[in-house]
Amino acid sequence: MNEFSVICRILGSLYNRQPQDPLLVPLFTLLREGKLQQQWPLEQDELLTRLQQNSDPQALAADYNALFVGSDCKVPPFGSYWENGPQESEVRAFLQSRGMPLSEAPADHIGALLLAASWLEDRSEADEAEAQITLFDAFIMPWCGQFLGKVEAHASTAFYRTLAALTREAIQAMRDELEEEGEN
């Protein structure tokens, strides 16, 4: 798994799962122990330190639910909610055309989209960079700035405010890297 895939997998998991989800225990352990920074490929030490200082999953559960869960959540994590976001059916059709196995969960969830970017990266097919660019340009970039701004504005914990800033920088860095790869 390369650096691009690792970033997408970590960020995707943090948006896609409740903080107290047993599958996130190893990730929160790495965060609390300050070990995520050693493996994080981007220069985001200050943001990672802020995440580390605010990474108690139990304390984050209420904020996660208020932000992302239910019909009255403060910041819907689905692209189809946002004016410039993709329709769920478009995302699903694109990912299925790439051979990605999908569950019944909405494919336009920010966490699912980041996990899809990791999945595409791990596939490493000849046209994988082109597929990544399509995923970012058509399904993530048009709405993620607005989404992340709302997360920063509405989060009651420093963890989710920081995660939004970290995600914004990481998505831009990954998109820039795709651009560079496309030029080579």
Side-chain angles (χ1 to χ4, degrees):
M1 208 181 324
N2 69 20
E3 293 174 343
F4 187 110
S5 180
V6 168
I7 292 170
C8 291
R9 179 89 35 100
I10 290 170
L11 294 175
S13 295
L14 288 171
Y15 285 104
N16 212 37
R17 297 187 177 280
Q18 297 272 350
Q20 68 279 22
D21 186 310
L23 291 173
L24 290 184
V25 169
L27 179 54
F28 274 104
T29 300
L30 278 176
L31 255 174
R32 271 194 308 280
E33 293 174 355
K35 293 182 178 166
L36 187 60
Q37 286 165 306
Q38 298 161 10
Q39 293 157 36
W40 196 255
L42 300 173
E43 293 293 322
Q44 295 181 297
D45 286 354
E46 184 184 323
L47 291 171
L48 290 166
T49 298
R50 230 181 304 155
L51 276 187
Q52 177 187 354
Q53 293 165 345
N54 297 284
S55 60
D56 173 15
Q58 296 308 318
L60 299 175
D63 199 22
Y64 181 91
N65 285 317
L67 286 168
F68 308 126
V69 179
S71 57
D72 58 348
C73 65
K74 293 178 182 166
V75 191
F78 306 102
S80 56
Y81 171 83
W82 300 90
E83 187 178 333
N84 297 326
Q87 291 306 304
E88 196 276 344
S89 58
E90 295 170 344
V91 177
R92 185 170 291 278
F94 171 73
L95 295 174
Q96 286 174 329
S97 76
R98 304 299 309 165
M100 184 173 175
L102 298 173
S103 69
E104 294 300 310
D108 65 329
H109 187 288
I110 187 69
L113 288 165
L114 290 166
L115 291 169
S118 173
W119 185 88
L120 285 170
E121 181 70 18
D122 291 344
R123 301 270 306 201
S124 296
E125 293 182 11
D127 63 346
E128 161 256 326
E130 189 181 311
Q132 287 277 30
I133 288 170
T134 299
L135 181 70
F136 274 76
D137 289 357
F139 303 125
I140 298 175
M141 299 294 282
W143 65 281
C144 78
Q146 203 178 4
F147 165 78
L148 294 169
K150 293 275 189 199
V151 172
E152 286 177 297
H154 292 286
S156 63
T157 60
F159 182 88
Y160 285 108
R161 285 191 300 275
T162 304
L163 182 62
L166 185 88
T167 303
R168 179 181 288 110
E169 288 180 11
I171 285 175
Q172 190 58 58
M174 289 184 291
R175 182 58 187 88
D176 292 347
E177 183 181 316
L178 286 169
E179 193 70 36
E180 290 166 18
E181 284 175 18
E183 292 170 3
N184 294 336

